Amino acid sequence: MSPRTEKQFEIIRKEKKELIMETALELFATEGYHNVSVSDIAEAAKISKGLMYNYFGSKEELLLSIAHTGITDVTKAFDFNKDGILTRQELTLFIHMIFKTVKTNKKFWRLYFMLFLQPDVSEIVKADFLAFQDRIYQIAYSYFLEQGYEDPESELLMLSALIDGVAFQFVITGEYSNYPLNRLEEYILKKYSMDKK
Amino acid sequence: MSPRTEKQFEIIRKEKKELIMETALELFATEGYHNVSVSDIAEAAKISKGLMYNYFGSKEELLLSIAHTGITDVTKAFDFNKDGILTRQELTLFIHMIFKTVKTNKKFWRLYFMLFLQPDVSEIVKADFLAFQDRIYQIAYSYFLEQGYEDPESELLMLSALIDGVAFQFVITGEYSNYPLNRLEEYILKKYSMDKK
Amino acid sequence: MSPRTEKQFEIIRKEKKELIMETALELFATEGYHNVSVSDIAEAAKISKGLMYNYFGSKEELLLSIAHTGITDVTKAFDFNKDGILTRQELTLFIHMIFKTVKTNKKFWRLYFMLFLQPDVSEIVKADFLAFQDRIYQIAYSYFLEQGYEDPESELLMLSALIDGVAFQFVITGEYSNYPLNRLEEYILKKYSMDKK
Amino acid sequence: MSPRTEKQFEIIRKEKKELIMETALELFATEGYHNVSVSDIAEAAKISKGLMYNYFGSKEELLLSIAHTGITDVTKAFDFNKDGILTRQELTLFIHMIFKTVKTNKKFWRLYFMLFLQPDVSEIVKADFLAFQDRIYQIAYSYFLEQGYEDPESELLMLSALIDGVAFQFVITGEYSNYPLNRLEEYILKKYSMDKK
DNA sequence: TATGAATGAGTCTTCATTCAT
DNA sequence: CATGAATGAAGACTCATTCAT
């Protein structure tokens, strides 16, 4: 008889928001943002078309929310609170984590690659990502510097490109691909363990 | 004033077609396929909307034509008629050529990355590209094998990923970016010249 | 803490209803009926959307309630219980009252003008207004007749149009306009004091 | 076989544009701007929904075009190229013309009254109308001044309000009303012929 | 009585495509 | 070969209204 409490409403909102975002991510990643209509999302999430607008101002805002939440989650997972210098083991762990996040969040990374090829990506998304990338760069850079690499910057760019390339190739393969991500991970790790210079 | 010969018509057709494709490539790459309307293309190419349909069955066909022509051109440029084994110089040249084509056809590669993230890419385009990739793989693979690399397949995949990664990062930067493509090229070449194992 | 009596509930209902109507009138007049959503009204009145439907069957019914209540109030204010003939002073007072009500209820009159240009105004509202107008017409007509005006009907229509025109012009000016309503009132009163014929 | 000439296209465009504007004016005036959908207009004009957007950027732009064209036409009809002072006959003619234009363009004036009650009317429309009104004011003002009226400004405002009021009352009556517009015109004209001071 | 999540019909608008000339 | 007016299906978005709590 009495209306739902504020808390109850909050829970409902949170859950619905997540449902919509997950559904949309799934569709955006598999079909492409422009090939998915708001109706498609509503249907897949089993809600009405209008409800999406109760939670997100527009289809684009939904996309940006997904991107923002995704990168925030990934960033959190990395626990960047390193103050000292990376040891070799730590770099190993680090690279391992990147591969893991790519494996776990394949759809998300697919979306991110799409977003970056889209020339009109919101500055917010870009800033989010660049912040994340920067952290990684700093860490890897200090490692290469420490290890006495001749041209740590190029080394860094190469590692970055390599990871991006592997991730890209992995991501463009279908849901159940047999891209040898694990094998490549090992191979890369081995390389960085042996390299001197 | 005299009626044009069939040959002349053919030339006109060919030129118009190319004009449309170039204009469309430019727009697709800078604005994104879905953000460019047929009207936009017509306007930019200074032709009528109807004329596009004289040359291409649909907007999508136009896209696929661009992709097909592009990859054909690139493939041609490579002159794969190698029968013997790649020497180190040849690999060097080879990698150099890849970087060169990425640099020269930035827009085209951008389009290609987009296409590959789009799950419904025509099988034709896929086949085109896979054929191209296969040739490269064969060449590089035989090289790594010859050079006595322990795991030539992984090595191959890594080179491929590395190049894709560099190309991707280069391509998503704006028109006049300062991404150090040349420096990375050199760095990669040096790596492959020194590496034993 | 003690359960509210029925009487108290009634008072609450009345006050809420008035709050909603006043808020809606304010918004309708400043933004236009179609530019104001039920959500807007609810937000401005600091109530929930659902509550409005507790008091009014629909958005349109709310509008009509406002119009009905408004014209009823205005009518009451006039105290039409005249049996005798209007003297000149009484006409003066009468015209003065009309101007006063226009001044005081600017928003309401704005709404009324809108309603009358809307072809599908409810018959109820029309009837309300025509009743009001009729009373005024009767009074003014009898006055003009008494005063020996040649064509009292035309005279009446003119006075009516004049007042409507002044009111309209006053009403379409912004909230803090400097339309010389008072000056015009005086001017009109003077005219009707001097006119013979 | 050969495409239509530019001239032919121009004619087509002009005629279609007028058709759409006339149809829309009819509907806007009888139903109200917000109660008429673009589909309604298309259906009434027997064109497709999309075609309207070939000629007008939006529904609102269509409205503004109608308003602008209407007031331009009316202004033209007045031939304001007066340099001398208005004689009484000229004022008579002048008032007559106003009444005539109201009678002839009833729908248009209805639309204009609506627009002026709409708080968010485009500045363009307002400017158009105020320019027109200004011309009329100047002419009437100079007349009243010349005739030695005590307070020409108030006199002017009154004439203006009177005309607005008559027009308003005439306009809110249905298509085939029996509002005595002609009688009122005569009555007003008589007034202004007799009035001294 | 009061709340706000949920619905879905309806609206404006876009745009690939067709076709008469 | 070339044009652009015309179409209509599809999409994003709004909002009055309902209803479980």
Side-chain angles (χ1 to χ4, degrees):
Chain A
M1 268 306 176
S2 52
R4 272 179 269 235
T5 65
E6 197 141 320
K7 187 116 194 181
Q8 283 173 309
F9 278 130
E10 221 171 88
I11 293 169
I12 291 175
R13 285 190 73 81
K14 191 164 172 290
E15 282 174 355
K16 271 291 155 63
K17 230 177 149 168
E18 278 168 8
L19 167 67
I20 294 172
M21 284 170 74
E22 275 161 30
T23 311
L25 169 58
E26 170 79 29
L27 289 174
F28 287 164
T30 50
E31 314 275 341
Y33 176 72
H34 283 102
N35 297 324
V36 174
S37 72
V38 173
S39 297
D40 292 338
I41 298 168
E43 199 174 339
K46 285 180 189 135
I47 56 163
S48 73
K49 231 184 324 173
L51 192 59
M52 197 220 85
Y53 291 92
N54 217 319
Y55 293 99
F56 304 94
S58 66
K59 188 187 166 190
E60 195 183 351
E61 197 186 298
L62 168 60
L63 173 67
L64 300 183
S65 284
I66 293 168
H68 181 71
T69 304
I71 200 71
T72 304
D73 288 355
V74 168
T75 304
K76 261 190 227 145
F78 268 76
D79 180 20
F80 286 113
N81 301 322
K82 295 284 174 198
D83 39 359
I85 295 302
L86 236 54
T87 63
R88 194 169 296 160
Q89 278 102 11
E90 282 169 331
L91 183 74
T92 299
L93 178 66
F94 190 69
I95 292 177
H96 173 66
M97 282 219 47
I98 295 179
F99 275 87
K100 194 174 152 197
T101 193
V102 169
K103 230 178 299 171
T104 317
N105 305 297
K106 194 170 184 178
K107 287 190 169 49
F108 171 74
W109 286 110
R110 184 179 189 109
L111 195 69
Y112 244 85
F113 282 121
M114 282 180 181
L115 280 177
F116 266 80
L117 288 168
Q118 203 62 26
D120 53 354
V121 206
S122 140
E123 289 307 312
I124 299 170
V125 175
K126 260 186 195 148
D128 279 349
F129 187 80
L130 292 179
F132 172 68
Q133 189 177 259
D134 240 42
R135 308 294 288 272
I136 292 185
Y137 273 27
Q138 282 166 26
I139 291 167
Y141 184 77
S142 66
Y143 174 80
F144 288 127
L145 196 64
E146 190 72 13
Q147 295 286 321
Y149 277 74
E150 208 173 68
D151 183 351
E153 201 189 326
S154 291
E155 200 61 45
L156 168 68
L157 286 170
M158 277 199 43
L159 178 58
S160 162
L162 183 57
I163 289 171
D164 266 17
V166 170
F168 185 84
Q169 294 191 347
F170 170 64
V171 139
I172 64 173
T173 61
E175 181 104 30
Y176 305 107
S177 78
N178 51 1
Y179 187 82
L181 194 61
N182 292 329
R183 178 139 68 101
L184 282 174
E185 182 185 341
E186 281 166 35
Y187 202 83
I188 291 171
L189 290 177
K190 212 193 297 173
K191 277 251 162 181
Y192 280 96
S193 304
M194 289 184 302
D195 266 16
K196 269 294 127 65
K197 186 49 167 300
Chain B
M1 272 309 166
S2 58
R4 277 179 267 236
T5 67
E6 196 147 320
K7 186 128 194 175
Q8 282 174 311
F9 270 126
E10 222 171 274
I11 293 170
I12 291 176
R13 277 192 72 81
K14 193 161 170 288
E15 281 173 355
K16 271 285 157 68
K17 234 181 142 165
E18 278 168 8
L19 167 67
I20 294 172
M21 285 169 70
E22 274 160 31
T23 311
L25 170 58
E26 170 77 28
L27 289 174
F28 288 163
T30 50
E31 314 277 341
Y33 177 72
H34 284 99
N35 296 324
V36 174
S37 70
V38 173
S39 297
D40 292 336
I41 299 167
E43 196 177 340
K46 284 174 191 147
I47 58 162
S48 74
K49 245 184 314 184
L51 193 59
M52 197 219 83
Y53 288 89
N54 226 315
Y55 293 101
F56 305 93
S58 67
K59 188 188 169 190
E60 195 183 349
E61 199 187 298
L62 168 60
L63 173 68
L64 300 182
S65 284
I66 293 168
H68 180 71
T69 305
I71 200 69
T72 304
D73 287 357
V74 168
T75 304
K76 261 190 227 144
F78 269 77
D79 180 20
F80 286 114
N81 302 322
K82 294 285 173 196
D83 38 1
I85 294 303
L86 234 56
T87 64
R88 194 170 295 161
Q89 278 102 10
E90 282 169 330
L91 184 73
T92 298
L93 177 65
F94 188 71
I95 291 175
H96 174 67
M97 283 217 46
I98 295 178
F99 276 86
K100 195 175 152 196
T101 191
V102 168
K103 231 179 300 173
T104 318
N105 305 297
K106 194 171 183 178
K107 285 190 170 55
F108 170 74
W109 286 110
R110 183 178 194 112
L111 200 68
Y112 241 85
F113 283 120
M114 281 180 182
L115 278 177
F116 265 79
L117 287 169
Q118 208 62 28
D120 54 352
V121 206
S122 139
E123 290 307 312
I124 300 170
V125 174
K126 257 187 196 145
D128 280 350
F129 187 80
L130 292 179
F132 172 69
Q133 188 178 258
D134 241 40
R135 307 296 289 271
I136 293 185
Y137 273 25
Q138 281 166 27
I139 291 166
Y141 184 77
S142 65
Y143 173 81
F144 288 127
L145 197 64
E146 190 70 16
Q147 295 285 322
Y149 276 75
E150 209 175 66
D151 182 351
E153 201 188 327
S154 291
E155 200 61 46
L156 166 69
L157 286 170
M158 276 196 48
L159 178 58
S160 162
L162 184 56
I163 290 172
D164 266 18
V166 171
F168 184 85
Q169 294 190 350
F170 171 65
V171 141
I172 63 173
T173 61
E175 182 102 29
Y176 305 106
S177 78
N178 52 0
Y179 188 82
L181 194 62
N182 292 329
R183 176 138 69 101
L184 282 174
E185 183 186 339
E186 281 167 34
Y187 203 83
I188 290 171
L189 289 176
K190 211 194 297 174
K191 276 251 160 179
Y192 281 97
S193 304
M194 288 183 302
D195 266 16
K196 269 293 128 66
K197 186 50 171 292
Chain C
M1 273 306 168
S2 58
R4 276 179 267 235
T5 65
E6 197 147 317
K7 186 129 197 176
Q8 282 174 312
F9 270 126
E10 220 172 273
I11 292 170
I12 291 175
R13 279 193 71 83
K14 192 160 171 288
E15 281 174 354
K16 272 282 157 68
K17 237 182 140 164
E18 276 170 9
L19 167 68
I20 295 172
M21 285 169 71
E22 273 161 31
T23 311
L25 169 57
E26 170 78 29
L27 289 173
F28 288 164
T30 51
E31 313 277 342
Y33 177 72
H34 284 100
N35 296 325
V36 173
S37 70
V38 173
S39 296
D40 292 336
I41 298 168
E43 198 177 340
K46 285 176 190 143
I47 57 161
S48 73
K49 246 187 310 186
L51 193 59
M52 197 218 85
Y53 288 90
N54 226 313
Y55 293 101
F56 305 94
S58 67
K59 188 187 170 191
E60 195 183 350
E61 197 187 299
L62 168 60
L63 173 68
L64 300 183
S65 285
I66 294 169
H68 179 68
T69 305
I71 199 73
T72 304
D73 287 356
V74 168
T75 304
K76 262 190 225 144
F78 268 77
D79 180 22
F80 286 114
N81 301 322
K82 295 283 173 195
D83 39 0
I85 294 302
L86 234 56
T87 63
R88 193 171 295 162
Q89 276 103 8
E90 281 169 331
L91 183 74
T92 298
L93 177 67
F94 188 71
I95 291 176
H96 174 67
M97 282 215 48
I98 294 179
F99 275 87
K100 193 175 154 196
T101 191
V102 168
K103 231 178 299 173
T104 317
N105 305 296
K106 195 170 182 178
K107 288 191 168 51
F108 170 74
W109 285 110
R110 185 178 191 112
L111 199 69
Y112 241 85
F113 281 121
M114 282 179 182
L115 279 176
F116 265 80
L117 287 169
Q118 208 62 28
D120 54 354
V121 206
S122 138
E123 289 307 313
I124 299 169
V125 174
K126 255 187 199 147
D128 280 349
F129 187 79
L130 292 180
F132 172 69
Q133 188 176 259
D134 240 41
R135 305 296 288 273
I136 293 185
Y137 273 24
Q138 282 166 26
I139 291 166
Y141 184 76
S142 68
Y143 174 80
F144 288 127
L145 195 65
E146 190 70 15
Q147 295 286 322
Y149 276 76
E150 209 173 65
D151 182 352
E153 200 188 329
S154 292
E155 199 61 45
L156 166 69
L157 286 170
M158 277 196 50
L159 177 58
S160 161
L162 183 57
I163 290 171
D164 266 17
V166 170
F168 184 85
Q169 295 192 347
F170 171 65
V171 141
I172 64 173
T173 62
E175 181 102 30
Y176 305 107
S177 77
N178 52 2
Y179 188 82
L181 194 63
N182 292 329
R183 177 138 69 103
L184 282 174
E185 182 186 339
E186 280 168 35
Y187 203 82
I188 290 171
L189 289 176
K190 212 195 297 176
K191 274 254 160 177
Y192 281 97
S193 304
M194 289 186 302
D195 264 18
K196 268 296 127 62
K197 185 52 170 291
Chain D
M1 270 302 178
S2 53
R4 270 178 270 232
T5 66
E6 195 140 324
K7 186 116 193 178
Q8 283 173 308
F9 278 128
E10 220 171 273
I11 293 169
I12 290 175
R13 285 191 72 81
K14 191 163 172 290
E15 282 173 354
K16 271 289 154 66
K17 230 177 149 170
E18 278 168 7
L19 166 67
I20 294 172
M21 284 170 73
E22 274 161 29
T23 311
L25 169 57
E26 170 79 28
L27 289 174
F28 287 163
T30 51
E31 314 275 341
Y33 176 72
H34 284 102
N35 297 323
V36 174
S37 72
V38 173
S39 298
D40 292 338
I41 298 168
E43 197 175 339
K46 284 177 190 141
I47 58 165
S48 74
K49 230 183 326 174
L51 192 59
M52 196 219 86
Y53 291 90
N54 218 319
Y55 293 98
F56 304 93
S58 65
K59 188 187 167 190
E60 194 183 350
E61 197 186 299
L62 168 59
L63 173 67
L64 299 183
S65 284
I66 293 169
H68 181 70
T69 305
I71 199 72
T72 305
D73 288 356
V74 167
T75 303
K76 261 190 227 145
F78 268 77
D79 180 22
F80 286 113
N81 301 324
K82 294 284 174 196
D83 40 359
I85 294 303
L86 235 57
T87 64
R88 193 170 296 161
Q89 277 103 11
E90 281 168 331
L91 183 75
T92 297
L93 177 65
F94 190 70
I95 292 176
H96 174 67
M97 283 220 44
I98 294 179
F99 275 87
K100 194 174 155 197
T101 191
V102 169
K103 230 179 299 174
T104 317
N105 305 297
K106 193 171 184 178
K107 285 189 173 47
F108 170 74
W109 286 110
R110 185 179 189 108
L111 195 68
Y112 244 86
F113 281 120
M114 281 180 182
L115 281 176
F116 266 81
L117 288 169
Q118 202 64 23
D120 54 354
V121 205
S122 141
E123 290 307 311
I124 299 169
V125 173
K126 261 187 194 146
D128 279 350
F129 187 79
L130 292 180
F132 172 69
Q133 188 178 261
D134 241 40
R135 307 295 288 274
I136 292 186
Y137 273 27
Q138 281 167 26
I139 291 167
Y141 184 77
S142 67
Y143 174 80
F144 288 128
L145 196 65
E146 188 72 14
Q147 295 286 322
Y149 277 76
E150 206 174 69
D151 182 352
E153 201 188 327
S154 291
E155 198 62 46
L156 166 68
L157 285 171
M158 277 198 46
L159 177 59
S160 162
L162 182 58
I163 290 171
D164 265 18
V166 170
F168 185 83
Q169 295 191 346
F170 171 64
V171 141
I172 63 173
T173 62
E175 180 102 33
Y176 304 108
S177 77
N178 53 359
Y179 187 83
L181 194 63
N182 292 331
R183 178 138 69 101
L184 282 173
E185 182 185 341
E186 280 167 37
Y187 202 82
I188 291 171
L189 290 176
K190 212 193 298 174
K191 276 251 163 182
Y192 280 96
S193 305
M194 288 185 302
D195 266 15
K196 265 296 129 65
K197 183 51 164 294

